[in-house]
Amino acid sequence: MRPWLIRGAIAVVALLVIAQLVPYGRDHSNPRVTREVRWDSARTRELAAGACFDCHSNLTEWKWYTNVAPVSWLVYNDVKGGREHLDFSEWDRPQAEADEILEVVRDGSMPPLQYKPLHSGARLSDAQRTELVRGLEKTLAADPPVGGSE
């Protein structure tokens, strides 16, 4: 091997080891559920749980890789942002993007592409996506978030 390649590999490993010392992304808490949305059916909740809950609820399943930087930074940022925009576990507070949920699920931008490879429940077929959108429409009509969306 060439010396520069060896030095480069050592540098990458050293950076990954040093990255583990950065505390950001390790606060893997799930705040208590203050009020979950009242789902129109168990099936809608099941589909939402598989496709949405890890980022949009306080029921996040923190996998082992969420403790390894820099992946932990990305996952923590996604969950933090997801909960700020829409949190199915805190339906007693205004939800900033509740009015957009149908559109982003329908057009396939949610769940995001980077989430799907490791989460089989997020890989929705066209029929499942349609079923989830219909269920969300009924759910939001029957139980809109408190104060509507911000």
Side-chain angles (χ1 to χ4, degrees):
M1 281 191 164
R2 294 187 172 166
W4 62 268
L5 189 59
I6 293 171
R7 281 190 221 122
I10 291 170
V12 167
V13 169
L15 285 173
L16 288 173
V17 169
I18 291 169
Q20 303 316 306
L21 301 175
V22 177
Y24 181 81
R26 299 238 171 83
D27 179 19
H28 293 162
S29 63
N30 280 333
R32 70 182 184 86
V33 175
T34 57
R35 179 166 114 49
E36 186 171 336
V37 63
R38 290 183 189 101
W39 299 97
D40 75 306
S41 70
R43 178 64 176 157
T44 301
R45 186 185 190 284
E46 176 188 354
L47 288 168
C52 312
F53 274 25
D54 273 346
C55 292
H56 295 285
S57 81
N58 296 344
L59 303 172
T60 303
E61 290 185 31
W62 298 101
K63 309 284 188 195
W64 67 269
Y65 53 81
T66 66
N67 291 301
V68 180
V71 174
S72 61
W73 306 339
L74 299 170
V75 172
Y76 178 76
N77 189 56
D78 284 350
V79 171
K80 185 173 180 265
R83 288 176 178 169
E84 288 171 2
H85 294 291
L86 179 72
D87 192 336
F88 291 118
S89 298
E90 295 184 10
W91 215 244
D92 52 351
R93 72 167 173 82
Q95 301 295 321
E97 296 183 16
D99 57 338
E100 296 176 25
I101 188 172
L102 299 174
E103 180 182 336
V104 296
V105 172
R106 189 178 289 122
D107 72 16
S109 60
M110 281 290 158
L113 186 60
Q114 72 270 18
Y115 181 74
K116 294 175 185 178
L118 297 176
H119 301 89
S120 61
R123 295 189 295 265
L124 300 172
S125 67
D126 289 341
Q128 289 171 319
R129 183 175 310 286
T130 299
E131 186 179 4
L132 178 56
V133 168
R134 285 186 185 138
L136 288 169
E137 285 173 335
K138 292 176 185 176
T139 297
L140 292 173
D143 188 22
V146 103
S149 55
E150 294 179 325

